[in-house]
Amino acid sequence: MHDLKFALRLLWKSPAFTAVAGLSLALGIGANTTVFCWMQEVLWRPLPGVTRADQIVVLCSSRGPQYWDTVSLPDLRDYTALTNVFAGIIGSQVTPACLTLQEEPEWMYGQITTANFFDVLGVKPLLGRTFLAEEDTRPGGAPVLVLSEAFWQRRFGADPNVIGQTVDVNRHTFTIVGVVPAAFRGTMSGLRCDFWAPLVMHEQVANFGSLTARGDRWLHTQARLRTGVTRTEAQAAVNSAAAQLAAAYPDTNGEIGLRVLPVWKAPYGGQAMLLPVLGILFAVSLGVLLIVAANVANLLLARATAREKEVAIRLALGAGRLQLIRQFLTESLALALLGGVLGVVFAHWGATLFKHFLPHTYLPIGYTFDVDQPTLLFTLAVTLATGLAFGLAPALQASRQNLDATLKEGGRTPSSTLPNHRLRSVLVVAEVALAMALLVAAGLCLEGSRRAQRVDIGFDPQQVLVAGLRVGMHGYDEQRALGFYRQLRERLAVTPGVQQVALASWLPLGFEGGSSLSVQVPGYDRAPNEDMGAQYAIISPDYFATLAIPVVAGRDFTEQDDATRPRVAIINETMARRFWPGQDPLGRTFTIWGGERELTVVGIARDGKYRFLQEPPKPFVYFAYQQGVWDLNLGVAVRTVADPLAFAGTLRQALRAVDPGVEIWALLAMTDFIQAAFLGQRIVSTLLTALGLVALFLAAMGIYGVMTYVVSQRTHELGIRMALGASAGGVTQLVVGEGMRLVGVGLGLGVLGALGLSRSLASFLYGVPPFDPVTLGTVALVLTLASLLACLLPAWRAARVDPIVALRTG
């Protein structure tokens, strides 16, 4: 306590030093706390509200090195036999649905799940019950609903008598049987679900998926490992079961395996998109913290030099060296704790900053970034480690001084200042090197983001309005749905302000990934384990005109491409090159669903970006919406002559004129819709730039501090030089030259660090090489100019020293 009181008294007596060091530490600690908070929510706690979430794993279908994020229900049922490694396996799928209560419809997101969903996850109901085993057997026979606590409070006013009440879901009556706590948001990380329904009600709630087709892989699947079972052991058991299924069902399961993954490595959900982003940010925030630690260590070394005589007197009076080290470390930890407290304040603001990066979306984002107890414990650990890191060197340096020489020379001796100066120089070199690496990384990401905004995505999103419809959820069968869509297209096509209108089951570059299926091409020699999958969309005529996608060969679909005509398809350029190299694909055929359906290629559309900007070219096929639709839930895309959002009211009126009971569940300008593809780059480039500028400022401040210290220590020497005829310019050159030599070494090391860091940024550098000479040169120039300015200020003061005064200070 005596040491702590003394430390606090010293910090209070040096408000400028305390403020500079405390704010520097707050920036570094706050940045790390913020990123840790994000990582905890996205990666380490993706399933809040789940009991023993560390035992939950994700199961994904695979073929060779490639895997999908879903499993078919028959496969899932077969894998449940692995009771020696799994305590339970669940399947689910996220879906929007229209819930009507007291004639007030509301679109919301929920999940259809296997009946054991809540039992396996260990989620206990707040009210009522969850699903029963018998509610997992008869298709359409379990119209029951479990609600989230948040929805129950919002729409039912937390009425405890809600159990047994009925609500309308997609024009079907469901009975509420339970309410689960708000902590549980579902198993799709990043989304907030408001309801859960049994999987047997998939036609009424989601209107997609099959309960019997083994080749229809559409369920996100998780499992709970038995206590003591590792993922490696589970994978071995799953491999054996997958081989048996492949032998028993070669048409649907040949070469199909199953991967056992931790939840944070799931290929779906928020973690799939944000894992590389958060990894980069955590590494960069640690770099900033190292710069801060080096800066504060330099400041403390300067203070330790100024206190040499005080320390020598204390040693002469009997103080032990361990006591002095303890005292200096106490001062460092007190300063670190001050920075840690301010860092938590910064992190409270920074934690919510993440949501500002999210584009406008119809999805219910479920992340809640709070500075909670684990985050505070992490902050405390980082604070203490940082305090020890920057405080140890000054403490050791102070305790090792030459007692006799210090007392005789008044605290400024070569024996004490030379090691001190060398250590400070090493710290400055490290600061410059780290700042160089971070600034290069930020520059590369900024350039990559700029180029990504100009990349040719294969279509034109400007002046296009997109609206999601779910007519299949409203009781429409195929014929009624086709009639509805034809009427809506015809009505919109003649509406003033409309250039083109089309229907599509899926649109590119949104948050939600598209569907895929396997194709079989006559005459094509398939390699072992070769993935024959192709993404697809079901579209209407004028889809390509609406999105401005060129049809480079053949023709577009027409209204005559209906169920009475031979089935046709349009493929993209990549699919044409892969399956018919050097040939004309027009008129060629391929089959889907194991040969069950044959289609003829009538057109070739230009390649585009479908899921990510960095994705390699991939096969894509388009199907005509009137030729045996297996997805009734088509959205509308309208190209307008003016602002597309201004057309939203007209679109709603046209929809009500066709069917007043059909509600739009998502409505966006397509320029907003595709921002999902730019999310990672925007986060990384913005935050790297901010952290890089902080690093630049801290490095310049470190150089300034060192050179100011050097000048103060060499005042006597500089006075002698000037008394012997040295000019002010010569003194300035001497001081600047010494500082810039340190900068030069730091820049050289920083280039090597930048090369290593930039390689890990490859996924964010769209069209920018990891070694970009323009970025490298620009950053080096900026850092050199900032360093030069930091050196010039102390040099200018040194050149103005009065030689007589300087000689007297010796």
Side-chain angles (χ1 to χ4, degrees), residues 432 435-441 443 696 740 743-744 746-748 750-751 754 772-788:
V432 173
M436 177 71 179
L438 297 185
L439 284 169
V440 168
L696 174 63
M740 294 309 291
V743 173
L747 289 176
V751 169
D772 181 34
V774 175
T775 302
L776 204 62
T778 302
V779 170
L781 178 61
V782 170
L783 194 51
T784 299
L785 291 176
S787 303
L788 182 61

PDB file of all heavy atoms in Angstrom, residues 432 435-441 443 696 740 743-744 746-748 750-751 754 772-788:
ATOM      1  N   VAL A 432       8.498   2.010 -35.077  1.00  0.00           N
ATOM      2  CA  VAL A 432       8.457   2.384 -36.498  1.00  0.00           C
ATOM      3  C   VAL A 432       8.167   1.156 -37.355  1.00  0.00           C
ATOM      4  O   VAL A 432       7.372   1.215 -38.303  1.00  0.00           O
ATOM      5  CB  VAL A 432       9.775   3.051 -36.915  1.00  0.00           C
ATOM      6  CG1 VAL A 432       9.802   3.288 -38.430  1.00  0.00           C
ATOM      7  CG2 VAL A 432       9.964   4.372 -36.177  1.00  0.00           C
ATOM      8  N   ALA A 435       4.503   0.244 -36.947  1.00  0.00           N
ATOM      9  CA  ALA A 435       3.665   1.238 -37.617  1.00  0.00           C
ATOM     10  C   ALA A 435       3.730   1.070 -39.130  1.00  0.00           C
ATOM     11  O   ALA A 435       2.722   1.187 -39.825  1.00  0.00           O
ATOM     12  CB  ALA A 435       4.099   2.644 -37.226  1.00  0.00           C
ATOM     13  N   MET A 436       4.913   0.778 -39.640  1.00  0.00           N
ATOM     14  CA  MET A 436       5.082   0.574 -41.082  1.00  0.00           C
ATOM     15  C   MET A 436       4.236  -0.613 -41.546  1.00  0.00           C
ATOM     16  O   MET A 436       3.504  -0.529 -42.544  1.00  0.00           O
ATOM     17  CB  MET A 436       6.563   0.321 -41.396  1.00  0.00           C
ATOM     18  CG  MET A 436       6.857   0.015 -42.854  1.00  0.00           C
ATOM     19  SD  MET A 436       6.670   1.468 -43.901  1.00  0.00           S
ATOM     20  CE  MET A 436       7.116   0.771 -45.509  1.00  0.00           C
ATOM     21  N   ALA A 437       4.313  -1.725 -40.803  1.00  0.00           N
ATOM     22  CA  ALA A 437       3.553  -2.918 -41.198  1.00  0.00           C
ATOM     23  C   ALA A 437       2.053  -2.649 -41.164  1.00  0.00           C
ATOM     24  O   ALA A 437       1.320  -3.029 -42.089  1.00  0.00           O
ATOM     25  CB  ALA A 437       3.917  -4.087 -40.279  1.00  0.00           C
ATOM     26  N   LEU A 438       1.582  -1.985 -40.111  1.00  0.00           N
ATOM     27  CA  LEU A 438       0.146  -1.734 -39.988  1.00  0.00           C
ATOM     28  C   LEU A 438      -0.345  -0.753 -41.050  1.00  0.00           C
ATOM     29  O   LEU A 438      -1.431  -0.919 -41.613  1.00  0.00           O
ATOM     30  CB  LEU A 438      -0.168  -1.189 -38.598  1.00  0.00           C
ATOM     31  CG  LEU A 438       0.129  -2.124 -37.417  1.00  0.00           C
ATOM     32  CD1 LEU A 438      -0.336  -1.496 -36.112  1.00  0.00           C
ATOM     33  CD2 LEU A 438      -0.515  -3.479 -37.609  1.00  0.00           C
ATOM     34  N   LEU A 439       0.446   0.275 -41.326  1.00  0.00           N
ATOM     35  CA  LEU A 439       0.029   1.261 -42.331  1.00  0.00           C
ATOM     36  C   LEU A 439       0.017   0.651 -43.729  1.00  0.00           C
ATOM     37  O   LEU A 439      -0.857   0.964 -44.542  1.00  0.00           O
ATOM     38  CB  LEU A 439       0.953   2.472 -42.288  1.00  0.00           C
ATOM     39  CG  LEU A 439       0.717   3.432 -41.114  1.00  0.00           C
ATOM     40  CD1 LEU A 439       1.849   4.434 -41.004  1.00  0.00           C
ATOM     41  CD2 LEU A 439      -0.621   4.159 -41.287  1.00  0.00           C
ATOM     42  N   VAL A 440       0.976  -0.214 -44.027  1.00  0.00           N
ATOM     43  CA  VAL A 440       0.974  -0.886 -45.337  1.00  0.00           C
ATOM     44  C   VAL A 440      -0.265  -1.770 -45.457  1.00  0.00           C
ATOM     45  O   VAL A 440      -0.941  -1.781 -46.497  1.00  0.00           O
ATOM     46  CB  VAL A 440       2.259  -1.708 -45.526  1.00  0.00           C
ATOM     47  CG1 VAL A 440       2.132  -2.627 -46.738  1.00  0.00           C
ATOM     48  CG2 VAL A 440       3.452  -0.786 -45.710  1.00  0.00           C
ATOM     49  N   ALA A 441      -0.570  -2.521 -44.385  1.00  0.00           N
ATOM     50  CA  ALA A 441      -1.763  -3.364 -44.417  1.00  0.00           C
ATOM     51  C   ALA A 441      -3.020  -2.524 -44.623  1.00  0.00           C
ATOM     52  O   ALA A 441      -3.900  -2.883 -45.415  1.00  0.00           O
ATOM     53  CB  ALA A 441      -1.867  -4.166 -43.118  1.00  0.00           C
ATOM     54  N   GLY A 443      -3.190   0.458 -46.041  1.00  0.00           N
ATOM     55  CA  GLY A 443      -3.174   0.991 -47.403  1.00  0.00           C
ATOM     56  C   GLY A 443      -3.597  -0.040 -48.427  1.00  0.00           C
ATOM     57  O   GLY A 443      -4.356   0.262 -49.359  1.00  0.00           O
ATOM     58  N   LEU A 696       0.709   5.440 -36.432  1.00  0.00           N
ATOM     59  CA  LEU A 696       1.554   6.513 -36.973  1.00  0.00           C
ATOM     60  C   LEU A 696       1.767   7.610 -35.927  1.00  0.00           C
ATOM     61  O   LEU A 696       2.891   8.075 -35.710  1.00  0.00           O
ATOM     62  CB  LEU A 696       0.902   7.087 -38.225  1.00  0.00           C
ATOM     63  CG  LEU A 696       1.585   8.315 -38.856  1.00  0.00           C
ATOM     64  CD1 LEU A 696       2.981   7.957 -39.341  1.00  0.00           C
ATOM     65  CD2 LEU A 696       0.734   8.858 -40.001  1.00  0.00           C
ATOM     66  N   MET A 740      16.802   9.903 -37.704  1.00  0.00           N
ATOM     67  CA  MET A 740      16.388   9.276 -38.956  1.00  0.00           C
ATOM     68  C   MET A 740      17.101   7.955 -39.210  1.00  0.00           C
ATOM     69  O   MET A 740      16.601   7.113 -39.956  1.00  0.00           O
ATOM     70  CB  MET A 740      16.599  10.240 -40.120  1.00  0.00           C
ATOM     71  CG  MET A 740      15.709  11.479 -40.068  1.00  0.00           C
ATOM     72  SD  MET A 740      13.948  11.110 -39.841  1.00  0.00           S
ATOM     73  CE  MET A 740      13.556  10.337 -41.415  1.00  0.00           C
ATOM     74  N   VAL A 743      14.850   5.603 -37.676  1.00  0.00           N
ATOM     75  CA  VAL A 743      13.671   5.452 -38.536  1.00  0.00           C
ATOM     76  C   VAL A 743      13.988   4.557 -39.720  1.00  0.00           C
ATOM     77  O   VAL A 743      13.176   3.699 -40.118  1.00  0.00           O
ATOM     78  CB  VAL A 743      13.182   6.831 -38.997  1.00  0.00           C
ATOM     79  CG1 VAL A 743      12.071   6.689 -40.032  1.00  0.00           C
ATOM     80  CG2 VAL A 743      12.696   7.651 -37.810  1.00  0.00           C
ATOM     81  N   GLY A 744      15.167   4.737 -40.313  1.00  0.00           N
ATOM     82  CA  GLY A 744      15.545   3.922 -41.464  1.00  0.00           C
ATOM     83  C   GLY A 744      15.589   2.446 -41.137  1.00  0.00           C
ATOM     84  O   GLY A 744      15.099   1.599 -41.904  1.00  0.00           O
ATOM     85  N   GLY A 746      13.966   1.006 -38.698  1.00  0.00           N
ATOM     86  CA  GLY A 746      12.577   0.597 -38.460  1.00  0.00           C
ATOM     87  C   GLY A 746      11.806   0.391 -39.747  1.00  0.00           C
ATOM     88  O   GLY A 746      11.022  -0.559 -39.864  1.00  0.00           O
ATOM     89  N   LEU A 747      12.016   1.265 -40.730  1.00  0.00           N
ATOM     90  CA  LEU A 747      11.321   1.110 -42.015  1.00  0.00           C
ATOM     91  C   LEU A 747      11.726  -0.186 -42.699  1.00  0.00           C
ATOM     92  O   LEU A 747      10.881  -0.891 -43.273  1.00  0.00           O
ATOM     93  CB  LEU A 747      11.623   2.301 -42.917  1.00  0.00           C
ATOM     94  CG  LEU A 747      10.986   3.639 -42.527  1.00  0.00           C
ATOM     95  CD1 LEU A 747      11.457   4.739 -43.476  1.00  0.00           C
ATOM     96  CD2 LEU A 747       9.478   3.548 -42.542  1.00  0.00           C
ATOM     97  N   GLY A 748      13.019  -0.513 -42.646  1.00  0.00           N
ATOM     98  CA  GLY A 748      13.480  -1.754 -43.273  1.00  0.00           C
ATOM     99  C   GLY A 748      12.843  -2.972 -42.639  1.00  0.00           C
ATOM    100  O   GLY A 748      12.363  -3.886 -43.336  1.00  0.00           O
ATOM    101  N   GLY A 750      10.097  -2.920 -40.947  1.00  0.00           N
ATOM    102  CA  GLY A 750       8.664  -2.827 -41.179  1.00  0.00           C
ATOM    103  C   GLY A 750       8.243  -3.364 -42.524  1.00  0.00           C
ATOM    104  O   GLY A 750       7.153  -3.935 -42.667  1.00  0.00           O
ATOM    105  N   VAL A 751       9.096  -3.194 -43.542  1.00  0.00           N
ATOM    106  CA  VAL A 751       8.789  -3.743 -44.873  1.00  0.00           C
ATOM    107  C   VAL A 751       8.679  -5.266 -44.802  1.00  0.00           C
ATOM    108  O   VAL A 751       7.757  -5.869 -45.377  1.00  0.00           O
ATOM    109  CB  VAL A 751       9.862  -3.320 -45.888  1.00  0.00           C
ATOM    110  CG1 VAL A 751       9.701  -4.093 -47.193  1.00  0.00           C
ATOM    111  CG2 VAL A 751       9.778  -1.831 -46.158  1.00  0.00           C
ATOM    112  N   ALA A 754       5.480  -6.074 -43.084  1.00  0.00           N
ATOM    113  CA  ALA A 754       4.334  -5.784 -43.948  1.00  0.00           C
ATOM    114  C   ALA A 754       4.122  -6.894 -44.966  1.00  0.00           C
ATOM    115  O   ALA A 754       2.982  -7.255 -45.280  1.00  0.00           O
ATOM    116  CB  ALA A 754       4.544  -4.453 -44.659  1.00  0.00           C
ATOM    117  N   ASP A 772       2.612  -4.360 -53.119  1.00  0.00           N
ATOM    118  CA  ASP A 772       2.229  -3.281 -54.018  1.00  0.00           C
ATOM    119  C   ASP A 772       3.212  -2.133 -53.843  1.00  0.00           C
ATOM    120  O   ASP A 772       3.215  -1.466 -52.797  1.00  0.00           O
ATOM    121  CB  ASP A 772       0.806  -2.829 -53.707  1.00  0.00           C
ATOM    122  CG  ASP A 772       0.340  -1.717 -54.641  1.00  0.00           C
ATOM    123  OD1 ASP A 772       0.740  -1.729 -55.813  1.00  0.00           O
ATOM    124  OD2 ASP A 772      -0.402  -0.828 -54.194  1.00  0.00           O
ATOM    125  N   PRO A 773       4.082  -1.869 -54.824  1.00  0.00           N
ATOM    126  CA  PRO A 773       5.115  -0.844 -54.644  1.00  0.00           C
ATOM    127  C   PRO A 773       4.552   0.549 -54.400  1.00  0.00           C
ATOM    128  O   PRO A 773       5.156   1.342 -53.676  1.00  0.00           O
ATOM    129  CB  PRO A 773       5.914  -0.916 -55.955  1.00  0.00           C
ATOM    130  CG  PRO A 773       5.022  -1.605 -56.937  1.00  0.00           C
ATOM    131  CD  PRO A 773       4.166  -2.522 -56.140  1.00  0.00           C
ATOM    132  N   VAL A 774       3.408   0.863 -55.000  1.00  0.00           N
ATOM    133  CA  VAL A 774       2.824   2.195 -54.790  1.00  0.00           C
ATOM    134  C   VAL A 774       2.420   2.376 -53.327  1.00  0.00           C
ATOM    135  O   VAL A 774       2.745   3.386 -52.680  1.00  0.00           O
ATOM    136  CB  VAL A 774       1.614   2.401 -55.724  1.00  0.00           C
ATOM    137  CG1 VAL A 774       0.945   3.737 -55.418  1.00  0.00           C
ATOM    138  CG2 VAL A 774       2.052   2.344 -57.181  1.00  0.00           C
ATOM    139  N   THR A 775       1.706   1.385 -52.781  1.00  0.00           N
ATOM    140  CA  THR A 775       1.295   1.465 -51.376  1.00  0.00           C
ATOM    141  C   THR A 775       2.505   1.487 -50.461  1.00  0.00           C
ATOM    142  O   THR A 775       2.575   2.280 -49.512  1.00  0.00           O
ATOM    143  CB  THR A 775       0.392   0.268 -51.023  1.00  0.00           C
ATOM    144  OG1 THR A 775      -0.743   0.266 -51.887  1.00  0.00           O
ATOM    145  CG2 THR A 775      -0.060   0.331 -49.589  1.00  0.00           C
ATOM    146  N   LEU A 776       3.464   0.615 -50.749  1.00  0.00           N
ATOM    147  CA  LEU A 776       4.664   0.544 -49.917  1.00  0.00           C
ATOM    148  C   LEU A 776       5.416   1.876 -49.931  1.00  0.00           C
ATOM    149  O   LEU A 776       5.817   2.393 -48.880  1.00  0.00           O
ATOM    150  CB  LEU A 776       5.569  -0.583 -50.427  1.00  0.00           C
ATOM    151  CG  LEU A 776       6.550  -1.198 -49.427  1.00  0.00           C
ATOM    152  CD1 LEU A 776       5.812  -1.842 -48.274  1.00  0.00           C
ATOM    153  CD2 LEU A 776       7.427  -2.212 -50.131  1.00  0.00           C
ATOM    154  N   GLY A 777       5.589   2.445 -51.122  1.00  0.00           N
ATOM    155  CA  GLY A 777       6.298   3.714 -51.229  1.00  0.00           C
ATOM    156  C   GLY A 777       5.543   4.855 -50.563  1.00  0.00           C
ATOM    157  O   GLY A 777       6.155   5.710 -49.895  1.00  0.00           O
ATOM    158  N   THR A 778       4.244   4.886 -50.730  1.00  0.00           N
ATOM    159  CA  THR A 778       3.440   5.958 -50.128  1.00  0.00           C
ATOM    160  C   THR A 778       3.511   5.909 -48.606  1.00  0.00           C
ATOM    161  O   THR A 778       3.701   6.937 -47.944  1.00  0.00           O
ATOM    162  CB  THR A 778       1.982   5.843 -50.590  1.00  0.00           C
ATOM    163  OG1 THR A 778       1.931   5.912 -52.020  1.00  0.00           O
ATOM    164  CG2 THR A 778       1.151   6.964 -49.997  1.00  0.00           C
ATOM    165  N   VAL A 779       3.353   4.713 -48.047  1.00  0.00           N
ATOM    166  CA  VAL A 779       3.400   4.574 -46.594  1.00  0.00           C
ATOM    167  C   VAL A 779       4.789   4.948 -46.070  1.00  0.00           C
ATOM    168  O   VAL A 779       4.914   5.648 -45.048  1.00  0.00           O
ATOM    169  CB  VAL A 779       3.029   3.139 -46.185  1.00  0.00           C
ATOM    170  CG1 VAL A 779       3.319   2.905 -44.704  1.00  0.00           C
ATOM    171  CG2 VAL A 779       1.561   2.879 -46.464  1.00  0.00           C
ATOM    172  N   ALA A 780       5.834   4.485 -46.746  1.00  0.00           N
ATOM    173  CA  ALA A 780       7.193   4.812 -46.309  1.00  0.00           C
ATOM    174  C   ALA A 780       7.423   6.323 -46.328  1.00  0.00           C
ATOM    175  O   ALA A 780       8.043   6.885 -45.417  1.00  0.00           O
ATOM    176  CB  ALA A 780       8.208   4.106 -47.196  1.00  0.00           C
ATOM    177  N   LEU A 781       6.899   6.998 -47.360  1.00  0.00           N
ATOM    178  CA  LEU A 781       7.055   8.451 -47.451  1.00  0.00           C
ATOM    179  C   LEU A 781       6.311   9.160 -46.321  1.00  0.00           C
ATOM    180  O   LEU A 781       6.861  10.074 -45.675  1.00  0.00           O
ATOM    181  CB  LEU A 781       6.546   8.935 -48.810  1.00  0.00           C
ATOM    182  CG  LEU A 781       6.605  10.452 -49.053  1.00  0.00           C
ATOM    183  CD1 LEU A 781       8.051  10.943 -48.986  1.00  0.00           C
ATOM    184  CD2 LEU A 781       5.973  10.797 -50.399  1.00  0.00           C
ATOM    185  N   VAL A 782       5.064   8.748 -46.063  1.00  0.00           N
ATOM    186  CA  VAL A 782       4.281   9.380 -44.991  1.00  0.00           C
ATOM    187  C   VAL A 782       4.951   9.174 -43.641  1.00  0.00           C
ATOM    188  O   VAL A 782       5.084  10.107 -42.832  1.00  0.00           O
ATOM    189  CB  VAL A 782       2.843   8.805 -44.980  1.00  0.00           C
ATOM    190  CG1 VAL A 782       2.096   9.258 -43.731  1.00  0.00           C
ATOM    191  CG2 VAL A 782       2.094   9.235 -46.224  1.00  0.00           C
ATOM    192  N   LEU A 783       5.404   7.951 -43.386  1.00  0.00           N
ATOM    193  CA  LEU A 783       6.041   7.663 -42.103  1.00  0.00           C
ATOM    194  C   LEU A 783       7.360   8.403 -41.966  1.00  0.00           C
ATOM    195  O   LEU A 783       7.713   8.892 -40.885  1.00  0.00           O
ATOM    196  CB  LEU A 783       6.248   6.153 -41.968  1.00  0.00           C
ATOM    197  CG  LEU A 783       6.587   5.592 -40.583  1.00  0.00           C
ATOM    198  CD1 LEU A 783       5.594   6.099 -39.546  1.00  0.00           C
ATOM    199  CD2 LEU A 783       6.587   4.077 -40.618  1.00  0.00           C
ATOM    200  N   THR A 784       8.091   8.540 -43.071  1.00  0.00           N
ATOM    201  CA  THR A 784       9.351   9.277 -43.041  1.00  0.00           C
ATOM    202  C   THR A 784       9.118  10.752 -42.751  1.00  0.00           C
ATOM    203  O   THR A 784       9.829  11.369 -41.939  1.00  0.00           O
ATOM    204  CB  THR A 784      10.087   9.118 -44.383  1.00  0.00           C
ATOM    205  OG1 THR A 784      10.372   7.729 -44.610  1.00  0.00           O
ATOM    206  CG2 THR A 784      11.388   9.905 -44.387  1.00  0.00           C
ATOM    207  N   LEU A 785       8.112  11.340 -43.395  1.00  0.00           N
ATOM    208  CA  LEU A 785       7.818  12.759 -43.167  1.00  0.00           C
ATOM    209  C   LEU A 785       7.364  13.003 -41.732  1.00  0.00           C
ATOM    210  O   LEU A 785       7.768  13.985 -41.091  1.00  0.00           O
ATOM    211  CB  LEU A 785       6.744  13.227 -44.153  1.00  0.00           C
ATOM    212  CG  LEU A 785       7.172  13.295 -45.624  1.00  0.00           C
ATOM    213  CD1 LEU A 785       5.993  13.683 -46.509  1.00  0.00           C
ATOM    214  CD2 LEU A 785       8.317  14.292 -45.809  1.00  0.00           C
ATOM    215  N   ALA A 786       6.518  12.109 -41.212  1.00  0.00           N
ATOM    216  CA  ALA A 786       6.079  12.258 -39.822  1.00  0.00           C
ATOM    217  C   ALA A 786       7.254  12.122 -38.863  1.00  0.00           C
ATOM    218  O   ALA A 786       7.370  12.876 -37.879  1.00  0.00           O
ATOM    219  CB  ALA A 786       5.002  11.220 -39.507  1.00  0.00           C
ATOM    220  N   SER A 787       8.134  11.174 -39.157  1.00  0.00           N
ATOM    221  CA  SER A 787       9.307  10.987 -38.305  1.00  0.00           C
ATOM    222  C   SER A 787      10.248  12.181 -38.405  1.00  0.00           C
ATOM    223  O   SER A 787      10.842  12.607 -37.400  1.00  0.00           O
ATOM    224  CB  SER A 787      10.032   9.701 -38.717  1.00  0.00           C
ATOM    225  OG  SER A 787       9.177   8.583 -38.638  1.00  0.00           O
ATOM    226  N   LEU A 788      10.391  12.714 -39.606  1.00  0.00           N
ATOM    227  CA  LEU A 788      11.264  13.882 -39.796  1.00  0.00           C
ATOM    228  C   LEU A 788      10.748  15.068 -38.990  1.00  0.00           C
ATOM    229  O   LEU A 788      11.533  15.784 -38.343  1.00  0.00           O
ATOM    230  CB  LEU A 788      11.335  14.235 -41.283  1.00  0.00           C
ATOM    231  CG  LEU A 788      12.241  15.402 -41.676  1.00  0.00           C
ATOM    232  CD1 LEU A 788      13.682  15.110 -41.281  1.00  0.00           C
ATOM    233  CD2 LEU A 788      12.136  15.679 -43.176  1.00  0.00           C
TER     234      LEU A 788
END
